[in-house]
Structure formats: C-alpha cells, structure tokens
Amino acid sequence: MDALIQTLAIYAIPVLLAITLHEAAHGYVARHFGDPTAYLAGRISLNPLRHVDLVGTLLVPALILLISAGGLLFGWAKPVPVNFGNLRRPKQDMLWVAAAGPGANLIMALGWALVLKFAIGSPEFAY
C-alpha cells in the first residue's frame, strides 16, 4: 500500500501539469494569434479543475489503470475552444495552435528527464 501511495504521489504532479499546460498552451497560442475564445471562457488557466473531463480525465484512466494493473495510463482533458474565424490567418495560425499542446508536453518531458537525471545523480539516491 505504501508503494502505491508513493507511486501516485510521484506521478500526480507531472500528470496534472501535462493535462493543464497542454490545454492552456492551445488557448494561449490561439489568443496570441487573435482568438480570445479560450481566454474569455477561462480556459487559459493553470487550475487543473478547469481542464478536467469526467470521462477522459477520471473514468477512462482509472479503468485502464485497473485493467493493466498500473502498467498503462491514458486519458484526455476537456478540449480548449478555438474559433478559427477569429484567427488572423486561420490556416497558418491553426498549425501553431494545434502544435502548442504537444510542444508543451515535449518541453515538460525534457524538463522531467533533467529532474530525474539530477535526482539519480544525487548522493541521497545512493541508498
């Protein structure tokens, strides 16, 4: 039971940040290119509760974790609203809006990899 609590505590922060920053990045870039829809809806936020989808963020991941005995995790968040008509150059700008979420995830993955590298190299990890 202690191992489960430790695992959940370690995974919770990166998963919450992945969900939150991914969706907020879409909205932020859309706003940058002229669409205030996500901003006006309050979706450019670091509050994870604004991005939680009942099915995709809670139910499906819980079922997958149970079925896979903790070996797999998959889910999704509530999509950020984007009005293509508000973008200054809809075709070009939508490319950046769409790439913003995966780009945020890539940056986070690199950041967490650095944290792990330094944690493994620390003297406290030698035990």
Side-chain angles (χ1 to χ4, degrees), residues 13-33:
I13 292 172
V15 167
L16 282 174
L17 282 174
I19 291 168
T20 304
L21 291 177
H22 176 101
E23 294 302 327
H26 286 304
Y28 178 77
V29 171
R31 182 176 178 208
H32 175 76
F33 287 113

Side-chain angles (χ1 to χ4, degrees), residues 9-112:
I10 291 169
Y11 284 118
I13 292 172
V15 167
L16 282 174
L17 282 174
I19 291 168
T20 304
L21 291 177
H22 176 101
E23 294 302 327
H26 286 304
Y28 178 77
V29 171
R31 182 176 178 208
H32 175 76
F33 287 113
D35 178 25
T37 306
Y39 173 75
L40 294 173
R43 299 296 303 284
I44 302 177
S45 170
L46 295 180
N47 179 358
L49 296 177
R50 293 191 179 269
H51 303 286
V52 169
D53 177 67
L54 178 64
V55 174
T57 310
L58 302 174
L59 296 177
V60 169
L63 287 172
I64 290 173
L65 281 173
L66 287 172
I67 292 169
S68 71
L72 183 65
L73 180 62
F74 180 79
W76 61 88
K78 207 183 313 179
V80 168
V82 176
N83 184 346
F84 306 117
N86 288 340
L87 297 171
R88 288 187 280 277
R89 296 170 308 182
K91 287 184 181 180
Q92 293 90 352
D93 295 346
M94 195 55 212
L95 171 86
W96 295 108
V97 172
N105 286 2
L106 179 61
I107 291 169
M108 282 185 284
L110 294 172
W112 289 115

